[in-house]
Amino acid sequence: MKSVALALGAGGARGLSHVAVFEVLDELGIKPVAIAGSSIGAIAGAVYGAGMSGKAIRHYVIDLAHNRGEVWRRLMLARAGTIGDMFNGNFTAAVRLDAEKLVAQFLPDVVPDDFDKLGIPLTVVASNLYGRREATFSSGPLKPALAASIALPTIMRPVVLGERVLIDGGATNPLPFDLLRGRADIVVAVDISGPPAEERKDLPNTIESLYATVLVMTSAIINEKLKHDAPDLLVQPHVGTFRALDFFQASAILRVAEAAKTDLKAKLEALLGL
């Protein structure tokens, strides 16, 4: 059988739709030979690469999303600052999240500490803030790399690894299918940055404005990449109506992503000659 590699895109809560792709791979009995992920795609890739099935990840996500009290408790534990910062007038530090603590709070226990313990080789994309270029990780400690990949400025504190200050991978390579060329017969890329289904008129708050701006840049980067190169199969779940912070809408996101599974399965079977 032909080999498959999987690129998982950035896009906040929309990335929960990656689970539907995992389920299709499981149903077809396909184990990717390599995964590359950016931001939420890196997190999803690490969980899947650690051995959790698509169905198991679905249950984990939905159970957590339906327990708001537990989610808020973990978010409080993942703060970069302290209550003291708030009383000292440093409100930004008090509410900003520590990406490494966030990873520790929300990743399933099955995810190992090191890349070499994963069942599927993973490349994690972050962005070198001052170097203005992508930074990739595929060996060594896994969780700091994942933290760097999701470290969206203003929401989370940048992650320092070695001599580099790192931020969200979506800033430089939001859909890293190019990193998988030559590693498999078929490269499948899952783009979750698509536009909303209809024009919105409501005014977003400050955080939503930031995420919306990031999605504009993400789409521009991906569209430019696709002009010069393209994966063998591009999957675009219709999750554009969801906001990047809609993690409590996990069940709805997964229901919408379900619609892409039949088409994806048929196209994969055709490419693989099944």
Side-chain angles (χ1 to χ4, degrees), residues 68-120:
R68 292 192 176 217
E70 177 63 14
V71 170
W72 286 115
R73 185 189 73 81
R74 296 189 192 190
L75 285 173
M76 289 295 290
L77 292 172
R79 285 180 302 145
T82 65
I83 296 297
D85 291 318
M86 185 173 295
F87 285 110
N88 290 329
N90 193 353
F91 295 103
T92 300
V95 300
R96 192 164 54 165
L97 296 172
D98 182 314
E100 293 185 74
K101 291 181 180 179
L102 196 68
V103 164
Q105 287 297 323
F106 285 96
L107 274 184
D109 293 337
V110 69
V111 178
D113 291 329
D114 296 291
F115 277 92
D116 62 6
K117 298 296 194 300
L118 291 169
I120 301 173

Side-chain angles (χ1 to χ4, degrees), residues 36-38 123-137 149 164-180 221 225:
S38 184
T123 300
V124 170
V125 179
S127 300
N128 184 329
L129 179 61
Y130 297 120
R132 300 181 185 178
R133 58 182 178 270
E134 72 177 38
T136 60
F137 301 88
S149 189
R164 294 180 292 181
V165 177
L166 302 168
I167 60 170
D168 195 285
T172 51
N173 195 349
L175 188 59
F177 58 85
D178 52 305
L179 302 181
L180 296 172
I221 293 171
K225 285 182 64 177

Side-chain angles (χ1 to χ4, degrees), residues 1-272:
M1 181 185 292
K2 294 179 181 178
S3 58
V4 173
L6 187 61
L8 302 172
R14 298 174 179 188
L16 298 178
S17 59
H18 290 317
V19 173
V21 177
F22 299 154
E23 291 173 335
V24 170
L25 294 176
D26 292 344
E27 290 168 13
L28 293 176
I30 298 169
K31 180 179 179 179
V33 297
I35 298 174
S38 184
S39 196
I40 188 68
I43 297 292
V47 177
Y48 191 60
M52 284 186 75
S53 68
K55 291 293 184 187
I57 300 172
R58 175 186 289 266
H59 292 313
Y60 179 85
V61 166
I62 291 176
D63 287 347
L64 193 56
H66 288 177
N67 190 345
R68 292 192 176 217
E70 177 63 14
V71 170
W72 286 115
R73 185 189 73 81
R74 296 189 192 190
L75 285 173
M76 289 295 290
L77 292 172
R79 285 180 302 145
T82 65
I83 296 297
D85 291 318
M86 185 173 295
F87 285 110
N88 290 329
N90 193 353
F91 295 103
T92 300
V95 300
R96 192 164 54 165
L97 296 172
D98 182 314
E100 293 185 74
K101 291 181 180 179
L102 196 68
V103 164
Q105 287 297 323
F106 285 96
L107 274 184
D109 293 337
V110 69
V111 178
D113 291 329
D114 296 291
F115 277 92
D116 62 6
K117 298 296 194 300
L118 291 169
I120 301 173
L122 174 68
T123 300
V124 170
V125 179
S127 300
N128 184 329
L129 179 61
Y130 297 120
R132 300 181 185 178
R133 58 182 178 270
E134 72 177 38
T136 60
F137 301 88
S138 55
S139 62
L142 171 61
K143 292 174 182 177
L146 294 174
S149 189
I150 65 169
L152 187 68
T154 74
I155 304 296
M156 300 177 205
R157 184 168 61 190
V159 174
V160 178
L161 293 180
E163 299 297 318
R164 294 180 292 181
V165 177
L166 302 168
I167 60 170
D168 195 285
T172 51
N173 195 349
L175 188 59
F177 58 85
D178 52 305
L179 302 181
L180 296 172
R181 284 299 179 204
R183 300 186 63 181
D185 299 312
I186 298 168
V187 175
V188 179
V190 188
D191 174 21
I192 54 172
S193 69
E198 59 185 34
E199 193 70 22
R200 296 179 64 156
K201 299 295 192 298
D202 57 312
L203 290 177
N205 61 35
T206 302
I207 300 302
E208 290 167 346
S209 293
L210 171 65
Y211 267 106
T213 301
V214 169
L215 286 171
V216 170
M217 295 187 294
T218 295
S219 295
I221 293 171
I222 292 174
N223 290 337
E224 192 62 30
K225 285 182 64 177
L226 292 173
K227 290 178 183 177
H228 303 283
D229 190 16
D232 299 294
L233 178 54
L234 180 65
V235 183
Q236 295 177 301
H238 297 298
V239 290
T241 55
F242 296 98
R243 302 185 187 199
L245 292 177
D246 277 345
F247 288 99
F248 287 125
Q249 298 296 318
S251 294
I253 292 171
L254 288 167
R255 278 197 302 272
V256 172
E258 193 78 16
K261 290 175 65 174
T262 301
D263 183 58
L264 171 59
K265 189 172 184 179
K267 288 180 177 177
L268 264 177
E269 287 177 328
L271 284 171
L272 293 169

